[in-house]
Amino acid sequence: MSRSTKLLIAGCLILALGSRVDLPTVDGADLSGAAVKEAIERGKAFLLSQRSADGAWRNDNGAQSVGVTSLVMLALINAGMTPRDASIRDGLKYLREHGVAESQGHYETYQTALMIMALSAAKDGQTDRFRISELAQRLESGQMAQHNPGGWRYSLSGNGIDGSGDNSNTQFAVLGLREAVEFGAVVNRETWERSQTYWLRGQNRDGGWGYTSGANAESSRGSMSVAGVSSLAICEQMLRVDRGVAADGTPACCQDTGTSQELENGLKWLARSYRAGHNPGSGSNVLYYIYGAERAGRLTGQRFFGEHDWYREGAAYLLSMQDPVTGQWNGSGLGEQHSAVGTSFSLLFLSKGLAPVLINKLKYGPRNRDRPLEVVGDHWNRHRRDVRNLTELISGLPKWPKLLTSQDIDIARAVKTDGVDSLLQAAVLFITGNERPQFSGEELLLLKEYLQQGGFIFASPSCDSTEFEAGLREVLTQILPPGEGNLQPLPPDHPVYRSEHLLQSDGVPLLGVDFGCRTTVIYSPEDLGCLWDSWARQDPPKRNLQLKAKIIRATQIGVNVMAYATGREPPDKTDVPKKMADTGDFDNIERGLLQIAQIRHDGTWNAAPRALRNLLLALNETVGLTASTKRRELSLAEPNLFQFPILYMHGRLRFGINNDERKQLKQYLERGGVLFADACCGAKPFDRGFRDLIDSLYPGQKLERVSINHPIFSEDTCHDVRKLRRRMQEVSEAKAISSMVVRETEPFLEGLELDGRLAVLYSKYDISCALERQTAGNCEGYLSEDAVKLATNIVCYSLQQDLRLKVPGPTSAK
């Protein structure tokens, strides 16, 4: 049988040769999350329409049911479907009943690997654990020992149609075995070692890979180079070796060799060659190539290949090529011409590439004079797999998204390109190093803006460095307001110690900086990254048990910090948070008819500095009121308090009010003014202070809950807010570990009536931090969109009351 005939047969699944087709590329600058999600939904609908009556999917010729069914199900599951959906349930039933027998034959490697991936992705309880282990053993037994040892060919029986093996079959075998390990199967270390040797031996001198290697090596092409990069990354992860571990389990940090030069060379090839919409070195099989590019970028933590944002460009290309009527994709290769195959590859890229970025690891430091984007040295990255391993571990935890990613982010590139948007793409910015961190003035301004926009920094030294902490302290004093950038030990009752695992604060030294509504910087003086880097899904041989205990402790600290910072809700990859309003002292409206003043006090009165301005902007944009957005900050003792019909107040700490301030506030309320206040992040110290204030003004008259039937919650006032989403704390049965959940519930608002009107409106749950989108995982309060609606209703209702504020004369105000 000729080679071209063999490839024609196998093309229904993956690769084939074809004529070169020049396809358009797009830069992705205008890509939106909504457009990507719409494309995914249309692609899902198409695939669901192609299902056969027996629950399987087949290619356009009606063949290869196991491989195509597995590929389609893998795409649908990653696009959001679960075994609770009938189509997935029926597909699983088909694979369990027919998969093993029907996958044997010429295409056994592809179909076996894809079946493992589909069953593993379904995570249907323990139903498939034994089945996946059997399939993994089948793959292992089919690894070649001769001709191209360490690789795979089409058949696992030894009588394959291509005796020399190839990089495409080998890539899928590696992917299938990786997913088997993720599911709990044990794969022999020798299998990974042989596979790693195969990929190292088969790399071309230019750093890429062709379809075949060895004596019949072909020139490098994109689809096979992303396969080589992904496979080497997986093999390196599986072949972790413990070297120099002390008897007490202390690892020899910073003596590791890091990523292999071959993997670095593969990434350099992609940096030079990557183009969305064109498979370098081939021109055909573009969808297969894009599917592999997502995996290479995600597994190596790369947001960019060279100058190319691989996900945004690839997604923009796919959106431009989707059939506008059916929602399907058809590629240019003989395999992806089949609509189910081409559409599945496209959906896998869009949905897996859209996975939330949990952590950005900051790339920083002195630059190569000739290559400005190249950092001199690896001081920022001594533990190359630290955040990738932590992210992979978190992806497998309950209550977290099932697929999370991490990536390296170059601060110099961010300054020159997307600015703070680059940093805000991830929930957390991780900074580490074994030298004193140094940044340019522009880079310091970017970090400052990042924190102002609600960012979160997690930092830890590498290699027991003392210089790193000294430099970090200096940086924090430069980017935070005077007096607010000092690292302080976190108190034992800080939520980070119980956000996921119950940690004892006396054994887990963490320092932090409170800025705005929350602790926004957390620093561990321990080298956590070294231990994260040592984490493995399948332990290395003879791992020291004390080392394993240290790794568990370090990863638990990392998980807790991530849970505190994100509330387990990392942002979508394409939906960068909108920048918050400037806090400058200027007015968008020449003469504002509505003016609200914010009250200064000694209980962190400005914890959410953009909250009031954002509320006033919302009133202008959504309600149609004409409001002044100029900052007006007053103490309660200032005479011009009476010029403002509404006073606004928030904070985090307990505060005090002197007699003059108390007297004037009481006079203000009794003359028709309204006080609107909330406790930032549900802070109990502020809540106690505010209730004390009301008790001191009106002894015996307490704040009362406003009835849900009150017009303040009705659309007659502005929005219908009788049901809102609120983040609230749930405590485990042991009352030890707390977690935040979002529930739809009735709003909880308290008020104080004077002469038949609501003179005081107060929320013990957060509104202010939500108004500026700076809430943390531990923040008890309303989600941002709902907080805007509730605050808008409070202002609108207050204005509908009789607010003819009686301004006192020049002596009565004292």
Side-chain angles (χ1 to χ4, degrees), residues 573-594:
K573 192 168 190 175
T574 58
D575 290 337
V576 176
K578 295 179 181 178
K579 293 182 182 179
M580 299 170 191
D582 194 339
T583 60
D585 189 21
F586 60 88
D587 216 333
N588 283 342
I589 302 169
E590 195 170 298
R591 290 183 60 85
L593 298 182
L594 170 63

Side-chain angles (χ1 to χ4, degrees), residues 708 713 720-725 744-747 786 789:
I708 193 61
F713 301 120
D720 184 349
V721 293
R722 288 171 290 186
K723 288 288 185 181
L724 295 176
R725 292 166 298 167
E744 187 176 62
T745 185
E746 294 179 353
D786 292 359
K789 292 179 180 178

Side-chain angles (χ1 to χ4, degrees), residues 167-190:
N167 290 338
S168 182
N169 274 292
T170 302
Q171 172 192 210
F172 269 77
V174 169
L175 292 172
L177 291 174
R178 177 182 185 268
E179 293 304 313
V181 171
E182 290 286 317
F183 204 81
V186 176
V187 173
N188 291 318
R189 190 175 182 86
E190 292 76 13

Side-chain angles (χ1 to χ4, degrees), residues 188-488:
N188 291 318
R189 190 175 182 86
E190 292 76 13
T191 302
W192 297 116
E193 290 172 343
R194 289 191 292 265
S195 180
Q196 183 183 54
T197 301
Y198 170 90
W199 288 105
L200 294 175
R201 185 179 63 247
Q203 188 175 30
N204 292 332
R205 289 185 178 181
D206 62 3
W209 286 265
Y211 176 65
T212 56
S213 56
N216 299 317
E218 294 183 350
S219 59
S220 299
R221 64 175 71 172
S223 53
M224 292 295 93
S225 295
V226 294
V229 166
S230 301
S231 297
L232 274 185
I234 292 170
C235 289
E236 285 189 5
Q237 179 191 21
M238 297 297 175
L239 291 173
R240 172 78 199 191
V241 177
D242 295 336
R243 293 191 179 96
V245 180
D248 66 352
T250 301
C253 295
C254 299
Q255 294 183 18
D256 57 293
T257 57
T259 302
S260 69
Q261 188 59 53
E262 289 83 359
L263 180 53
E264 293 289 348
N265 291 340
L267 289 170
K268 289 178 181 178
W269 190 94
L270 292 178
R272 295 191 304 269
S273 308
Y274 179 80
R275 297 293 183 276
H278 173 69
N279 182 4
S282 171
S284 62
N285 299 295
V286 176
L287 300 182
Y288 174 61
Y289 157 61
I290 283 181
Y291 163 55
E294 177 277 325
R295 190 163 50 253
R298 175 168 50 83
L299 292 179
T300 59
Q302 306 295 313
R303 179 183 169 188
F304 292 90
F305 292 142
E307 297 298 318
H308 298 279
D309 187 328
W310 58 263
Y311 181 75
R312 295 187 70 85
E313 292 179 24
Y317 166 76
L318 289 177
L319 266 60
S320 73
M321 298 300 291
Q322 188 176 25
D323 189 299
V325 177
T326 65
Q328 71 189 72
W329 282 272
N330 291 99
S332 57
L334 294 178
E336 61 195 39
Q337 279 182 345
H338 299 291
S339 55
V341 174
T343 302
S344 295
F345 284 155
S346 302
L347 276 188
L348 282 165
F349 176 91
L350 291 175
S351 57
K352 296 184 80 171
L354 194 63
V357 183
L358 180 65
I359 310 172
N360 272 334
K361 184 176 182 180
L362 193 67
K363 181 179 180 181
Y364 67 94
R367 303 284 160 164
N368 186 311
R369 184 172 299 178
D370 299 325
R371 296 182 294 277
L373 291 181
E374 183 177 309
V375 174
V376 177
D378 63 351
H379 58 91
W380 66 276
N381 197 28
R382 293 307 304 271
H383 312 306
R384 294 173 180 265
R385 291 202 58 88
D386 47 11
V387 297
R388 270 182 273 161
N389 282 351
L390 180 65
T391 302
E392 183 178 327
L393 180 152
I394 290 174
S395 290
L397 295 176
K399 301 181 182 179
W400 287 86
K402 65 180 179 180
L403 181 62
L404 294 165
T405 64
S406 64
Q407 61 189 16
D408 299 340
I409 190 79
D410 189 324
I411 192 168
R413 182 197 291 270
V415 166
K416 301 297 183 185
T417 55
D418 295 337
V420 74
D421 288 351
S422 297
L423 304 186
L424 289 171
Q425 192 181 80
V428 173
L429 181 66
F430 183 69
I431 307 177
T432 187
N434 66 330
E435 298 177 4
R436 181 182 292 263
Q438 296 180 355
F439 300 98
S440 69
E442 288 180 307
E443 292 167 354
L444 286 171
L445 287 174
L446 182 62
L447 291 173
K448 179 179 181 179
E449 185 181 6
Y450 171 68
L451 290 181
Q452 288 176 337
Q453 301 294 336
F456 184 94
I457 291 176
F458 185 21
S460 173
S462 299
C463 312
D464 298 320
S465 168
T466 57
E467 286 295 305
F468 177 80
E469 180 175 326
L472 177 68
R473 288 180 179 275
E474 184 177 343
V475 168
L476 293 175
T477 59
Q478 290 176 298
I479 64 176
L480 290 170
E484 295 191 33
N486 298 319
L487 285 168
Q488 301 290 338

Side-chain angles (χ1 to χ4, degrees), residues 639-786:
N640 59 347
L641 195 75
F642 295 86
Q643 302 298 326
F644 302 93
I646 301 175
L647 299 179
Y648 169 72
M649 183 178 180
H650 70 232
R652 297 179 58 206
L653 303 178
R654 199 160 188 161
F655 58 94
I657 300 293
N658 63 40
N659 288 334
D660 289 341
E661 292 173 327
R662 189 179 298 109
K663 179 179 178 181
Q664 181 152 280
L665 175 58
K666 184 173 183 180
Q667 191 175 31
Y668 169 85
L669 296 174
E670 291 172 354
R671 288 179 178 271
V674 173
L675 175 62
F676 164 31
D678 76 291
C680 289
C681 281
K684 289 180 172 54
F686 180 87
D687 181 69
R688 288 193 294 269
F690 190 79
R691 295 182 190 279
D692 289 345
L693 171 63
I694 299 303
D695 287 343
S696 69
L697 292 175
Y698 300 99
Q701 190 171 350
K702 297 185 180 296
L703 293 167
E704 300 288 346
R705 182 172 181 179
V706 180
S707 168
I708 193 61
N709 297 317
H710 194 282
I712 197 171
F713 301 120
S714 167
E715 67 270 16
D716 292 337
T717 294
C718 186
H719 305 287
D720 184 349
V721 293
R722 288 171 290 186
K723 288 288 185 181
L724 295 176
R725 292 166 298 167
R726 195 175 81 223
R727 187 179 286 107
M728 56 185 69
Q729 190 175 74
E730 284 191 352
V731 182
S732 66
E733 291 182 4
K735 297 184 179 180
I737 301 174
S738 63
S739 61
M740 286 291 173
V741 295
V742 175
R743 303 280 190 232
E744 187 176 62
T745 185
E746 294 179 353
F748 191 97
L749 199 64
E750 295 175 276
L752 178 72
E753 282 197 2
L754 296 177
D755 297 327
R757 65 179 184 85
L758 285 171
V760 177
L761 288 160
Y762 173 66
S763 173
K764 67 177 182 179
Y765 299 115
D766 177 76
I767 295 176
S768 296
C769 293
L771 284 173
E772 63 171 27
R773 297 177 293 279
Q774 201 186 18
T775 53
N778 70 312
C779 198
E780 287 192 275
Y782 301 96
L783 300 194
S784 294
E785 182 181 347
D786 292 359

